[in-house]
Amino acid sequence: MLIKTKAIVLTSIKYGEADLIVKCLTEQGVKSYLLRSIYRSKSKKLKIGYFQALSQLEITAYHNKQGNLNKMSEASVYYLYQTLATDIYKQSIALFLAEVLAYALKEEEENQLQFQYIEASLKWLDLHDSFANFHLIFLLELTKYLGFYPDTSSMSANFFDLEEGNFTISQPFRSFLSGKKLILFKSLIGIKFDDMVELKWNSESRQSVLDILLEYYELHLPGFKKPRSLKVLKEVFNEIS
């Protein structure tokens, strides 16, 4: 079926000498495409430079229902980033989030609200200068669309059960938060991008919250892996107090 859709690039892997396999989040869900001979092609309809991590495109493609790789016939930049491609800190966030999304999002039916959230969030990051806690807010808010946002009905409790996703007065047997880590986690809940300056965190606190969130993802998403770019992200953000 021939469709035209917005697409956000998650991964692109060279296949053979001239082909490229691209995984995108589209308005129809996560789709993978085989772009044949793109490294040799001089076509203006498909350019290798379009398929960088988190590029926002409009594509024309053929989607099949057999689970095979789809075909893309045309692509153009839908939203041109102003700073995301040049700012080293934003680049490190983009590479990290692209990996997280590639692991977390499955090839399934469309989820328009999820797509709109990711699309709007990336535009926010591109257009703002204060973003040190962006990736933390993004990851927590994304769990709303993945189905395991924390149950906040008992937030006054002294423990958070990472496996069950709720706050509890009794200490869970495994994988829980308490003390300083619990305070940090609670302070993130409900914070929007525009309010992130309220989080007076240093790099140590950010890394602690990031580790918590990644553990939370691992417990709730079968097969989820810590991104390879995590080390780079932590090193870059060590420079931000």
Side-chain angles (χ1 to χ4, degrees):
M1 178 174 64
L2 181 65
I3 61 97
K4 181 172 284 189
T5 179
K6 291 180 182 178
I8 299 172
V9 177
L10 301 180
T11 63
S12 55
I13 302 171
K14 189 174 183 181
Y15 181 70
E17 294 184 359
D19 300 341
L20 189 70
I21 295 177
V22 179
K23 186 176 185 178
C24 296
L25 173 63
T26 76
E27 294 174 288
Q28 284 73 40
V30 176
K31 304 291 182 182
S32 296
Y33 303 91
L34 176 60
L35 309 183
R36 292 195 177 277
S37 301
I38 190 172
Y39 282 92
R40 295 173 180 166
S41 174
K42 296 181 179 179
S43 171
K44 295 182 179 180
K45 293 184 177 182
L46 290 173
K47 297 182 179 180
I48 192 71
Y50 290 161
F51 301 101
Q52 304 302 312
L54 299 187
S55 291
Q56 295 195 32
L57 309 175
E58 184 173 74
I59 65 172
T60 301
Y62 297 89
H63 287 173
N64 63 67
K65 296 182 179 181
Q66 284 73 43
N68 301 321
L69 290 170
N70 300 284
K71 296 180 181 180
M72 189 185 303
S73 60
E74 189 172 348
S76 60
V77 176
Y78 174 76
Y79 176 81
L80 183 62
Y81 292 120
Q82 298 181 27
T83 63
L84 198 62
T86 56
D87 185 298
I88 186 172
Y89 300 105
K90 291 184 180 182
Q91 281 183 325
S92 65
I93 290 175
L95 290 173
F96 170 76
L97 292 182
E99 277 196 82
V100 169
L101 292 170
Y103 289 138
L105 305 181
K106 305 302 180 183
E107 299 199 17
E108 54 189 17
E109 293 182 2
E110 64 185 74
N111 186 331
Q112 285 285 338
L113 292 178
Q114 176 181 269
F115 183 91
Q116 291 167 9
Y117 166 71
I118 295 171
E119 176 188 31
S121 298
L122 295 175
K123 290 179 181 178
W124 190 100
L125 174 62
D126 182 51
L127 296 174
H128 289 77
D129 297 324
S130 179
F131 54 86
N133 300 309
F134 171 88
H135 54 303
L136 306 176
I137 298 171
F138 178 90
L139 289 177
L140 183 59
E141 287 293 302
L142 183 63
T143 63
K144 290 180 179 178
Y145 306 95
L146 297 175
F148 55 97
Y149 189 77
D151 179 351
T152 60
S153 59
S154 301
M155 275 188 66
S156 60
N158 293 327
F159 301 95
F160 180 74
D161 189 326
L162 287 164
E163 291 191 11
E164 296 298 325
N166 58 19
F167 294 90
T168 176
I169 58 174
S170 57
Q171 180 176 317
F173 292 107
R174 297 178 295 176
S175 303
F176 64 90
L177 303 177
S178 62
K180 183 179 178 180
K181 288 185 176 182
L182 180 66
I183 293 172
L184 288 171
F185 186 68
K186 283 184 178 181
S187 65
L188 186 65
I189 293 176
I191 293 290
K192 304 302 180 184
F193 295 135
D194 290 331
D195 303 322
M196 70 172 67
V197 291
E198 296 177 14
L199 299 172
K200 307 297 183 181
W201 291 346
N202 57 23
S203 59
E204 181 181 354
S205 295
R206 290 190 192 98
Q207 290 193 19
S208 179
V209 174
L210 180 56
D211 289 338
I212 290 169
L213 290 169
L214 290 177
E215 181 181 359
Y216 193 46
Y217 269 63
E218 287 181 295
L219 288 169
H220 289 268
L221 294 175
F224 182 83
K225 304 175 184 177
K226 287 184 179 178
R228 291 172 295 178
S229 57
L230 176 61
K231 181 180 178 181
V232 174
L233 181 74
K234 288 187 174 182
E235 289 175 352
V236 169
F237 272 81
N238 271 336
E239 302 175 17
I240 301 179
S241 60

